[in-house]
């Protein structure tokens, strides 16, 4: 980075930190993007004059609200709900809803900010947004989750709509929660529209939406590996998480000939040296999605596997790592362990799972490393395809959706190569994704005037 870019980043970040005190995840996400695009801004100074960066980090709107609900014993609880409507230059706000105890304004803003560039990369007409609550569905009955979702949607419904803001799932929000949220939206608004995505297949959902983030991440990893003449065949894959993204990343990696040896949740990870197979995968699906159990139960069912409580899976030797759980789950020591273990490719399924120090380790070792905003964009892209199907009142086949998904992931990869290839030929996917995503949003904002 030259002197101008360095100065620009430091001044800009000082302002962002002063204006958004304590929002460390948001600062982290902004610093990464502004570091990538500063040289581009230097080359296109009209974007500096238009204060595009200053506008892009300021959400168009933040909605925070009270979510009161009653548990099965009659006790009253109060959670906090959020919707961050970050940027609508390219289309209606679009992004998931997260229910997790850790949710706060900083996490919501970082996710909405990332989403803006990710949605731009998909080439579909979608702006960026994100929402959620510090409510944890873990350990709650179906009836409690339903009452919470109904209370949450009673407020949220006045701020969203098929042409305004289209939420979807994220951590803690899967098919069950989308069902309850959609039911309450429909009841209050008296309309049946595709205002939420990730819907059930019988009521407006798209084939392949549940699979899309994990499958898309594997399609992206295939493209990354191909730049080195490699494939998934015969590779050992370490995956974190055991939720939606991890489940389908594991399934696709297996079908491409890889051996998936780990899965995890927030309590620990399981290591299965023989690798998952179809039967073990089906067990995990039932465990996590039906019984809502913990990943440690895998060890009791398959004694060849070992459970490591309180640990993350990154010390396991592997060729490919796919973090699919949560933000900042790979730190510097984890990254060093992965590099020392011979890992050649890190493809993010989660959002911002790698700390900046860990990214530096991967890039110094010239690993294939992709940020989530590029490699997990298959989920929101397929949500975009669900919106299209809802609008034209048609349903595409799984093959049609899969071919769109495949093409979108390979186009995102090509955009990263175009804007991220460095002088020595190394593909800096972080820079590529940030610059490619930024250009479209920035130009749209410039075209649309000072709004
Ligand atoms: P799920 O709720 O289905 O699964 C999340 C998994 O991650 C669970 O195994 C969960 O374990 C684990 N996890 C959650 N929080 C933590 C934590 N603080 N520490 C360790 N493990 C944790 O969520 P998804 O699979 O949908 O989402 C996973 C990631 O992928 C998130 O970063 C999300 O933003 C991102 N993503 C999701 C998309 C989607 O389409 N669903 C699209 C694009 C990105 P536990 O059960 O113990 O909480």
């Amino acid at each position: 980075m030259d002197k101008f870019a360095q100065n620009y980043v430091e001044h800009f970040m000082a302002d962002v930190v002063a204006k958004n005190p304590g929002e460390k995840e948001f600062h982290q996400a902004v610093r990464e993007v502004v570091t990538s695009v500063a040289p581009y801004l230097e080359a296109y100074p009209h974007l500096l004059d238009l204060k595009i960066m200053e506008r892009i980090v300021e959400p168009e709107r933040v909605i925070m609200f009270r979510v009161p609900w009653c548990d099965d014993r009659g006790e009253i609880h109060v959670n906090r709900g959020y919707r961050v409507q970050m940027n609508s230059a390219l289309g209606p706000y679009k992004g998931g809803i997260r229910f997790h105890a850790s949710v706060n304004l900083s996490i919501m803003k970082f996710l909405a900010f990332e989403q803006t560039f990710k949605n731009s990369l998909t080439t579909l007409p979608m702006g960026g947004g994100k929402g959620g609550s510090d409510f944890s569905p873990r350990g709650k009955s179906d009836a409690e989750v339903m009452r919470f979702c109904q209370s949450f949607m009673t407020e949220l419904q006045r701020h969203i709509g098929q042409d305004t803001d289209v939420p979807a799932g994220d951590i803690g929000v899967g098919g069950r929660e989308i069902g309850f949220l959609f039911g309450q939206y429909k009841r209050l608004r008296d309309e049946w529209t595709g205002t939420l995505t990730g819907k059930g297949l019988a009521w407006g959902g798209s084939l392949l939406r549940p699979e899309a983030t994990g499958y898309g991440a594997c399609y992206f990893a295939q493209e990354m590996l191909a730049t080195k003449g490699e494939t998934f065949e015969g590779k050992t894959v370490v995956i974190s998480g055991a939720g939606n993204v991890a489940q389908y990343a594991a399934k696709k990696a297996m079908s491409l000939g890889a051996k998936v040896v780990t899965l995890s949740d927030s309590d620990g990870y399981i290591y299965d040296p023989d690798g998952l197979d179809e039967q073990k995968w089906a067990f995990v699906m039932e465990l996590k999605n039906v019984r809502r159990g913990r990943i440690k139960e895998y060890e009791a069912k398959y004694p060849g596997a070992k459970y490591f409580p309180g640990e993350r899976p990154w010390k396991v030797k592997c060729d490919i790592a796919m973090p699919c759980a949560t933000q900042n789950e790979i730190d510097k020591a984890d990254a060093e362990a992965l590099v020392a273990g011979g890992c050649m490719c890190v493809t993010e399924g989660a959002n911002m799972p790698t700390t900046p120090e860990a990214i530096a380790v991967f890039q110094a070792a010239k690993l294939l490393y992709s940020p989530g905003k590029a490699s997990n964009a298959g989920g929101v892209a397929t949500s975009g395809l669900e919106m299209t199907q809802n609008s034209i009142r048609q349903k595409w086949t799984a093959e049609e959706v899969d071919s769109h998904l495949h093409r979108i992931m390979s186009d995102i990869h090509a955009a990263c190569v175009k804007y991220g290839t460095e002088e020595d030929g190394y593909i800096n996917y972080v820079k590529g994704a940030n610059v490619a995503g930024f250009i479209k949003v920035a130009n749209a904002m410039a075209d649309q005037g000072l709004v």
Side-chain angles (χ1 to χ4, degrees):
M1 228 194 316
D2 69 15
K3 197 99 201 120
F4 167 86
Q6 255 172 25
N7 276 336
Y8 179 80
V9 171
E10 291 319 318
H11 279 106
F12 187 83
M13 283 314 301
D15 276 354
V16 167
V17 171
K19 261 190 164 175
N20 304 275
E23 296 180 4
K24 61 184 190 331
E25 293 85 0
F26 182 59
H27 303 162
Q28 181 182 338
V30 172
R31 177 176 280 278
E32 186 203 283
V33 170
V34 74
T35 303
S36 295
V37 304
Y40 185 84
L41 293 171
E42 190 179 2
Y44 295 92
H46 71 287
L47 296 175
L48 288 171
D49 296 339
L50 288 171
K51 299 261 164 71
I52 293 292
M53 228 22 239
E54 286 80 350
R55 286 153 64 189
I56 241 172
V57 296
E58 201 60 53
E60 289 177 14
R61 195 173 296 108
V62 176
I63 300 142
M64 268 171 68
F65 50 98
R66 176 207 298 163
V67 190
W69 60 282
C70 192
D71 71 19
D72 290 344
R73 290 170 294 129
E75 190 182 335
I76 289 172
H77 301 266
V78 183
N79 286 92
R80 185 172 288 173
Y82 300 87
R83 187 71 183 166
V84 177
Q85 298 181 330
M86 197 78 197
N87 194 298
S88 61
L90 298 181
Y93 310 107
K94 180 90 196 89
I97 292 177
R98 175 176 293 191
F99 290 164
H100 193 271
S102 63
V103 163
N104 58 33
L105 185 59
S106 171
I107 290 178
M108 293 287 97
K109 282 171 67 179
F110 114 67
L111 288 164
F113 182 75
E114 291 278 291
Q115 194 81 46
T116 301
F117 304 101
K118 181 192 310 193
N119 293 1
S120 163
L121 285 169
T122 67
T123 70
L124 301 175
M126 299 182 292
K130 199 84 186 188
S133 174
D134 57 356
F135 169 82
S136 171
R138 190 169 158 181
K140 308 287 191 303
S141 70
D142 286 352
E144 288 171 331
V145 170
M146 181 179 76
R147 285 197 293 277
F148 176 82
C149 288
Q150 290 179 340
S151 182
F152 183 85
M153 184 52 84
T154 300
E155 174 57 32
L156 186 68
Q157 57 88 21
R158 66 185 96 240
H159 308 289
I160 61 175
Q162 62 173 342
D163 297 319
T164 316
D165 185 351
V166 183
D170 191 75
I171 291 178
V173 178
R176 173 182 64 169
E177 290 76 15
I178 292 290
F180 295 149
L181 292 165
F182 182 78
Q184 184 74 346
Y185 180 83
K186 185 167 63 63
R187 177 196 203 184
L188 293 171
R189 296 281 289 252
D190 194 20
E191 62 178 39
W192 201 117
T193 56
T195 298
L196 287 142
T197 57
K199 298 185 289 299
L201 282 182
W203 42 278
S206 173
L207 283 160
L208 239 62
R209 175 60 189 93
E211 293 88 342
T213 310
Y215 279 19
C218 287
Y219 295 154
F220 196 90
Q222 276 185 300
E223 299 275 348
M224 297 169 81
L225 291 165
T227 65
K228 301 269 183 216
E230 293 282 0
T231 68
F232 268 98
E233 186 65 46
K235 301 289 189 301
T236 298
V237 180
V238 161
I239 294 180
S240 65
N244 172 267
V245 181
Q247 291 163 6
Y248 287 104
K251 183 169 188 199
K252 183 55 80 177
M254 280 155 53
S255 78
L256 293 170
K259 183 159 92 166
V260 176
V261 293
T262 66
L263 288 172
S264 72
D265 57 27
S266 43
D267 297 334
Y269 78 91
I270 53 108
Y271 171 56
D272 184 343
D274 300 327
L276 266 72
D277 57 23
E278 284 213 5
Q279 195 203 2
K280 294 172 181 175
W281 184 82
F283 168 77
V284 173
M285 293 296 281
E286 202 265 339
L287 171 71
K288 298 306 286 186
N289 303 352
V290 181
R291 285 196 286 126
R292 301 185 190 278
R294 309 303 299 160
I295 201 65
K296 69 167 181 262
E297 294 176 45
Y298 186 102
E299 187 189 39
K301 176 80 179 171
Y302 300 108
K306 190 163 165 38
Y307 177 63
F308 294 85
E311 289 189 45
R312 300 186 289 218
W314 313 122
K315 288 186 191 72
V316 174
K317 259 176 92 73
C318 66
D319 304 300
I320 299 166
M322 300 186 75
C324 296
T326 193
Q327 64 274 359
N328 292 329
E329 54 168 317
I330 299 183
D331 63 17
K332 185 164 181 260
D334 296 325
E336 285 165 351
L338 281 165
V339 172
C343 178
M344 68 169 78
C345 176
V346 180
T347 302
E348 294 185 349
N351 283 311
M352 209 170 75
T354 311
T355 65
E357 298 76 24
I359 294 175
V361 171
F362 292 147
Q363 293 184 331
K366 303 280 176 197
L367 243 69
L368 294 168
Y369 161 72
S370 71
K373 67 167 77 69
S375 44
N376 72 28
V380 73
T382 308
S383 278
L385 302 176
E386 183 173 328
M387 288 164 73
T388 305
Q389 293 169 76
N390 291 161
S391 295
I392 60 175
R393 302 204 187 277
Q394 280 185 9
K395 197 173 181 77
W396 295 338
T397 63
E399 291 70 29
E400 280 174 287
V401 179
D402 199 34
S403 84
H404 281 295
L405 174 63
H406 228 128
R407 178 186 48 77
I408 290 168
M409 297 316 294
S410 114
D411 286 351
I412 295 174
H413 186 270
C416 291
V417 171
K418 179 173 174 190
Y419 291 103
T421 304
E422 297 185 333
E423 275 171 15
D424 62 359
Y426 177 65
I427 304 166
N428 182 334
Y429 287 92
V430 175
K431 183 168 140 207
N434 286 335
V435 174
F438 172 79
I439 289 174
K440 268 181 64 190
V441 181
N443 289 340
M445 288 174 74
D447 289 347
Q448 290 169 20
L450 194 53
V451 292

